[in-house]
Amino acid sequence: MSLAEKLGDVPMIQSLFGEKAAVLRDTDFQLLLLANLVAPLGTALISPLLESLQHPYGATDATIGLLMTVFTAPGILMIPAVGVLADRYGRKPFLVAGLFVFSIAGTALTVTTDFRVVLFLRFCQGVSFAAVTPVIITSIGDLYTGRAEATGQGLRFSVSGLTQGFFPLIGGILVGVAWQYPLLLYAIGIPISIVLALWFTEPTAPSRETASAVDRADRGTYVRELTTVLLRPRVASVLVFRMIPILLYITFMTYVSLLVVRSMGGTAGQAGILVALASATYAVAATQAGRFGSSFAGRILPLTAAISLMALGLVIVAFVPTVALATVGALALGAGFGLSLSLLRSVATGFAPMELRGGLVSVFESVGRLSATTAPIVVGFGIKLLDGAVPQTESLQLMVGGIGVGGGLIGIACLVVARTASPLPQQPALADSD
């Protein structure tokens, strides 16, 4: 029986999102989408509030950015560790506990003004984030294969885009009443964690296959098997490629306001509109991932188009003289981001069997966090090197535009290597399956 037959006929949804959109009728998938409402708030909710939080937390311009750094940094090491443990003990315990801790720590930000305590709470959110988003991605890979899985990953990423567009707007309104009110939005994760604890079905129920995986892990072979997969040229090249969309998007998110105000003569409000447009566009683009081929080769061309769109979009935003023209760049960047990450996550889950899948996906997510953490540092270092050689605004444009060009070229080169490399033994698992 096909997935569509099992889950029901949903012609309107299928026309929008592709033939495998019937996954939306699956209760477990609906619960995963519900859980996915929370994790994107780790950066999206805090970012537009940083200026408003400086006074109550006693932070300076130089230290307020630590609220972002201490959140993104833990995932670099924690995500792979959680992936390995989730392969052994199951997805559900980490997902439920991660959501609960993330929300409790976020809500607790409203009851302290000690900046050291605030940084600790943000660190706790960063650690618990490692048990949420990567586990959601892995669970979708456990539940579906082929185009159905690509559709699921795209819909999940679309929910992330909508979350990042909607909640910051609400937070911007609430902060005008009191600085604590936007942070109370983190509390939505508490009831969601309870719902998942009661009704979500563990996708890796004990079986001979998973029991064998635990035995191998006990013998210390799990890491060797995972490392062997990661070192295959196809996987390694896609792993490097995984960093590029994040690098381009975080560069855009970090410097778009400076570019709008300094080189385009715009306002902070207009910069916010560009960010909202990019988020909305990637939310829509992500829903279309399931329309592309289910084989690895069938996803190379759309991934190439996606990274090219992102590179072009960032270059446009860096150098155009008006906000109206920058809109074109923001739309291109958002479309490429939504499509690339949705397809990438679908590809990654097919690189390994179920008993290694959590670890593999977690490594992919970890390098994404590494890219997000280092992107502003790379651009800032480049701007400092150019200081004095060119005007400050031009150095900003050159670095942002340079990241766009360089990232695009590296991304395409990685895809060429991945396409020509020999397939993995389990690569046929990527073929579409009803």
Side-chain angles (χ1 to χ4, degrees):
M1 181 180 294
S2 71
L3 181 63
E5 290 172 334
K6 289 188 288 185
L7 299 181
D9 185 23
V10 283
M12 181 178 296
I13 294 176
Q14 288 177 354
S15 67
L16 289 174
F17 305 135
E19 61 183 276
K20 297 301 180 183
V23 297
L24 284 169
R25 289 287 185 89
D26 187 341
T27 300
D28 283 331
F29 182 69
Q30 292 171 358
L31 291 173
L32 289 173
L33 290 185
L34 186 64
N36 198 68
L37 286 173
V38 182
L41 298 181
T43 55
L45 185 58
I46 286 287
S47 180
L49 302 176
L50 290 180
E51 184 180 5
S52 300
L53 294 176
Q54 277 186 277
H55 177 69
Y57 288 155
T60 67
D61 289 345
T63 59
I64 193 64
L66 291 174
L67 288 179
M68 303 293 281
T69 303
V70 298
F71 175 78
T72 59
I76 298 172
L77 297 177
M78 287 299 303
I79 288 175
V82 170
V84 171
L85 293 172
D87 280 335
R88 180 167 183 176
Y89 298 108
R91 322 296 191 210
K92 183 175 178 178
F94 292 93
L95 184 58
V96 172
L99 279 172
F100 188 79
V101 173
F102 181 92
S103 299
I104 289 293
T107 306
L109 292 170
T110 65
V111 298
T112 182
T113 55
D114 187 325
F115 194 56
R116 291 170 297 180
V117 175
V118 169
L119 292 179
F120 173 73
L121 292 172
R122 286 291 287 168
F123 179 83
C124 291
Q125 281 193 297
V127 171
S128 57
F129 173 90
V132 180
T133 295
V135 173
I136 293 173
I137 295 167
T138 305
S139 297
I140 294 173
D142 294 334
L143 294 171
Y144 311 110
T145 60
R147 291 185 181 179
E149 198 239 345
T151 298
Q153 300 291 4
L155 290 170
R156 185 208 68 81
F157 198 49
S158 181
V159 169
S160 295
L162 294 174
T163 297
Q164 293 184 41
F166 176 74
F167 281 95
L169 292 177
I170 300 299
I173 296 172
L174 293 176
V175 77
V177 182
W179 67 267
Q180 299 97 330
Y181 285 3
L183 301 174
L184 291 174
L185 293 173
Y186 281 124
I188 66 168
I190 299 173
I192 291 175
S193 67
I194 295 172
V195 169
L196 263 73
L198 294 175
W199 287 292
F200 182 65
T201 304
E202 170 61 54
T204 57
S207 65
R208 290 184 179 180
E209 182 180 31
T210 54
S212 175
V214 172
D215 290 340
R216 289 200 301 275
D218 288 338
R219 296 195 303 269
T221 61
Y222 177 95
V223 174
R224 287 199 301 273
E225 292 180 3
L226 180 59
T227 302
T228 298
V229 174
L230 289 168
L231 291 178
R232 294 292 295 262
R234 174 167 287 185
V235 180
S237 57
V238 175
L239 185 65
V240 175
F241 179 87
R242 173 67 176 83
M243 302 179 71
I244 304 302
I246 297 292
L247 176 69
L248 300 182
Y249 196 74
I250 293 297
T251 299
F252 166 76
M253 293 288 284
T254 304
Y255 296 102
V256 62
S257 61
L258 295 180
L259 288 166
V260 167
V261 174
R262 295 181 184 177
S263 66
M264 303 177 202
T267 65
Q270 289 174 315
I273 291 173
L274 289 183
V275 172
L277 284 174
S279 297
T281 304
Y282 93 61
V284 173
T287 65
Q288 304 305 305
R291 295 184 181 274
F292 295 95
S294 57
S295 68
F296 178 80
R299 292 171 182 171
I300 291 294
L301 185 58
L303 281 171
T304 303
I307 203 64
S308 299
L309 271 177
M310 289 198 71
L312 178 62
L314 189 58
V315 171
I316 289 173
V317 172
F319 293 109
V320 294
T322 67
V323 176
L325 291 174
T327 299
V328 177
L331 293 174
L333 192 96
F337 189 57
L339 185 58
S340 63
L341 283 204
S342 298
L343 288 173
L344 269 176
R345 282 159 172 165
S346 178
V347 166
T349 57
F351 276 153
M354 181 177 289
E355 63 268 22
L356 297 176
R357 187 174 294 148
L360 183 74
V361 170
S362 294
V363 172
F364 269 71
E365 292 304 298
S366 180
V367 299
R369 301 296 281 183
L370 176 62
S371 184
T373 302
T374 58
I377 298 174
V378 171
V379 177
F381 181 72
I383 291 173
K384 191 170 184 178
L385 284 179
L386 293 172
D387 187 29
V390 295
Q392 189 175 32
T393 299
E394 289 184 18
S395 65
L396 175 63
Q397 291 176 304
L398 288 171
M399 281 306 304
V400 172
I403 290 290
V405 173
L409 292 176
I410 293 172
I412 293 173
C414 289
L415 292 175
V416 171
V417 172
R419 180 67 181 89
T420 56
S422 59
L424 278 70
Q426 70 278 5
Q427 198 69 41
L430 283 173
D432 194 16
S433 172
D434 289 332

